[in-house]
Amino acid sequence: MATAILERQADPALEARGACHLSIQGVTKRFGTGAKEVHAFGPVELTIEAGSFVSLLGPSGCGKSTLLLMLAGLIPPTSGRIEIAGTPVTGVRTDVGIMFQDNTLVPWRTVRGNIALQLELRGLDPARHTRRIDELLAAVALTDFAGRYPYELSGGMQQRAAFCQTMVHAPPTVLLDEPLGKLDAMTRERVRRDLQELWMRSRPTVVLVTHSIEEAVQLSSQVCLITPRPGRVHETIPIDLPWPRDDEVKKSAAFAGYVNVIGDVFRAYGVM
Amino acid sequence: MPLPVRQAARLATFPAFLALLILLWQKAIDWLAIPAYILQKPSDIVINAWADLPRLMSYTGVTALETLLGYAAAIVLGVPIGLAIVFLPILRRTLYPLLVSLEMVPKIAFAPLFIAWLGFGLLPKMIIVFLVCFFPVVLNAIAGFSALSEELTRFAAATGAGFWRAFLKIRLPAALPQCFVGFKFAAVNATVGATIAEFIGSDQGLGFYIQVQTGNMRPDLAFAAIFLLTLLGLALFGAVTLVERLTIPWDIGQRRARQS
């Protein structure tokens, strides 16, 4: 099945491009000017290996979502330099897939139409990528809901559809801004599994912003702990647990150990 | 009761209530001995209106034309002007505050001036209908086109889509529900504008007819004209609602899902 997703139809725009290496060098972000200036973030040095799944974990307001927007080139850093795959980010990077906390499913299109929207906005013909869309829908168990409108879906189904929308153009870099933040606890578990499945199939570089320690440990190859504002990297912890991170792994002592170690860091900062 | 019968009973409740009210009106004229020059029975209204049907029909046509032309002009001009205000910052700082201030002016107060300037013909009525319809159309279009969520704005930007592609695929459909709010509000205003314009100065149309027949102590015929005006308003509103249903069926479904 893993090859099924990688095996793209003959559109060079959707050719597998391999995951990208991300480099964040001395990046800071300040908002406002003069007395009202807020030092939101940084300076941060961070290297994210190609194909890894990195969580940016930190309290709200620490600037982790700001970093994600800077990675996508949607807002510029105040200082410092960001590189994706060796080229500096100077404006909007169309070679990433970005997903926001409030999903970008539009109410006037079905699930399939919403996934196609990503392609259409990029000037691609969705009719040439029906197999890719079908495979993504199958991967998140939404095949039977392809013709439904977002308002006909549960919150969890909407987020799973939104993952397909974010990844349909096979971006080598995927940026996720608290995609599970608004889901209830049980739905979250389910959608986490789907997200892990999608990542393991094609292994793009994923940067996930979250404030859930469990979520970060379960999904990530590295967890990057961000301090309270102005956000800096406290520590990057490699998560050495077997894949896939199923229920057995989650029940293991090692899993609980990671959760505790990370919890202690944030307790020391007084945010927990 | 079996289900279909219960459903039919529910559907029939309002028509039955209306019928009851009309019956009450019919009887009350006799019970209270109301003189014919004050108010007449619904049955007499129908009979007397039937006798004057050709004139009523031709006047309905006149008023309908004024209403439709003014309404259409409000949409044809209102939506593009709203778009221009949303996308041109200079208009947003000049024309937009002007429109918001003018919105406070009772548009109908201009009606006598337009009649004085332009005479008794079709044009001044059309302009007055236009005025009462234009503001809801343009202000709702502005609201619709400027209310795109930050997420969708960023989503479109992140794909690298150009202005027109993002406009057609995201901004336009996202704005349509709010635009239709304006269209429907304007449809309700339109017949009001036409009627008052005819009150002020005209020699034909249903508003003119109501004034003349009220002066003649013929409330029955005035009521007939009011009924036709109501039908005209309903027809316009119904047509706009139908177009809405065909254009943005997803929004109807979404609203219904939210209600239940």
Side-chain angles (χ1 to χ4, degrees), chain B residues 113-131:
Chain B
L113 283 173
F114 281 111
I115 308 280
W117 292 334
L118 299 166
F120 273 32
L122 174 67
L123 188 63
K125 278 93 183 176
M126 195 188 130
I127 290 175
I128 290 156
V129 173
F130 168 81
L131 274 183

Side-chain angles (χ1 to χ4, degrees), chain A residues 158-177:
Chain A
Q158 287 184 17
Q159 291 312 90
R160 277 143 61 197
F163 283 128
C164 298
Q165 188 192 54
T166 306
M167 293 166 85
V168 66
H169 57 301
T173 306
V174 177
L175 309 172
L176 305 171
D177 188 2

Side-chain angles (χ1 to χ4, degrees), chain B residues 38-218:
Chain B
I38 298 288
L39 189 63
Q40 296 190 19
K41 293 176 187 168
S43 59
D44 289 334
I45 292 176
V46 172
I47 292 163
N48 298 344
W50 190 257
D52 205 20
L53 195 64
R55 200 149 56 124
L56 275 168
M57 284 295 107
S58 95
Y59 282 179
T60 304
V62 169
T63 306
L65 189 67
E66 296 161 1
T67 307
L68 280 181
L69 288 177
Y71 182 74
I75 288 180
V76 168
L77 288 174
V79 174
I81 289 176
L83 271 174
I85 287 173
V86 169
F87 291 109
L88 299 175
I90 180 70
L91 293 183
R92 219 182 157 97
R93 288 196 302 271
T94 54
L95 201 52
Y96 183 56
L98 179 71
L99 285 180
V100 172
S101 328
L102 286 179
E103 163 70 4
M104 301 301 141
V105 178
K107 266 71 66 181
I108 218 72
F110 287 105
L113 283 173
F114 281 111
I115 308 280
W117 292 334
L118 299 166
F120 273 32
L122 174 67
L123 188 63
K125 278 93 183 176
M126 195 188 130
I127 290 175
I128 290 156
V129 173
F130 168 81
L131 274 183
V132 298
C133 295
F134 176 72
F135 287 87
V137 168
V138 75
L139 293 177
N140 279 290
I142 291 170
F145 281 103
S146 41
L148 194 65
S149 74
E150 193 171 48
E151 273 77 20
L152 282 177
T153 310
R154 284 177 170 159
F155 172 53
T159 61
F163 176 84
W164 284 111
R165 189 180 282 159
F167 178 82
L168 287 175
K169 299 219 178 268
I170 293 193
R171 269 189 187 276
L172 178 64
L176 283 178
Q178 191 64 46
C179 287
F180 270 102
V181 170
F183 298 166
K184 287 200 280 190
F185 195 81
V188 175
N189 280 1
T191 48
V192 178
T195 309
I196 296 183
E198 288 175 355
F199 282 173
I200 290 165
S202 61
D203 46 19
Q204 49 182 345
L206 291 172
F208 165 75
Y209 188 84
I210 290 171
Q211 250 194 347
V212 170
Q213 299 304 345
T214 309
N216 292 345
M217 307 252 179
R218 290 297 301 271

